[in-house]
Amino acid sequence: MATTQSPPRLHTLTPGLVLRGCARAIAFYERALGAEQVMRMDAPGGNAVWHAELRVGDSIFFLGDEAPGMGRRAPTPEQPSPMALWVSVPDCDAAYRRALDAGAVSTMPPADMFWGDRVAGVADPFGYHWSFAQKVKEMTADEMRRAGEAWAAQHMPKK
């Protein structure tokens, strides 16, 4: 089996978002996530973004405008993507507030989870869901299993 190597700026898996209004999305992600634009290639005439790369923390994601004939449609707030993006942050509450201040909509206010993370969720104006997670308690696999079972006993319907 052949081995491939990612360019040094990328990890093995790099998500790519298809958007309507990619230039607006770049500005939104800069405000909402503190993203830094690494590169951008506009279509001739400047009416679309063919490809852009944004960095959040130590990770890069790709984004570009929906293009006829490329086979992928952009989600919308009414028809959101089923995919969610998980962002590890040092302060879940601050990341959540920043995203809301930039125009995201809350899908889950910050809450402590049974596996030891504090997590919050938002929907962006382009049809993608983002979760912010902050490790607040180190737990062993057994502690997480027991906590998950206790959570399920309290929150899951009994059959």
Side-chain angles (χ1 to χ4, degrees):
M1 180 170 165
T3 303
T4 60
Q5 176 131 2
S6 298
R9 71 185 185 285
L10 301 179
H11 296 290
T12 302
L13 178 66
T14 305
L17 308 184
V18 177
L19 298 145
R20 291 183 191 148
C22 186
R24 288 189 333 273
I26 290 169
F28 171 80
Y29 295 138
E30 288 172 339
R31 288 189 318 275
L33 305 174
E36 171 194 353
Q37 184 173 288
V38 176
M39 71 85 64
R40 175 174 167 166
M41 183 186 313
D42 289 337
N47 62 345
V49 177
W50 275 351
H51 177 80
E53 297 179 10
L54 298 183
R55 180 188 331 275
V56 175
D58 67 353
S59 300
I60 287 181
F61 64 100
F62 297 161
L63 56 164
D65 275 305
E66 183 178 78
M70 293 297 286
R72 289 176 284 154
R73 304 290 299 177
T76 65
E78 300 75 32
Q79 295 271 309
S81 171
M83 176 188 78
L85 296 137
W86 188 269
V87 184
S88 297
V89 296
D91 184 336
C92 174
D93 295 70
Y96 173 77
R97 281 191 307 273
R98 179 181 188 155
L100 294 181
D101 289 347
V105 175
S106 176
T107 58
M108 185 180 114
D112 292 337
M113 298 292 131
F114 68 80
W115 59 86
D117 285 357
R118 184 161 179 79
V119 177
V122 300
D124 73 26
F126 305 96
Y128 289 99
H129 177 84
W130 299 80
S131 295
F132 304 112
Q134 171 188 358
K135 180 58 71 184
V136 293
K137 182 180 179 186
E138 293 297 331
M139 299 174 71
T140 67
D142 191 52
E143 288 171 329
M144 278 191 266
R145 181 190 54 75
R146 286 195 313 269
E149 289 170 354
W151 182 90
Q154 187 177 9
H155 294 93
M156 302 294 287
K158 307 228 187 299
K159 292 184 181 184

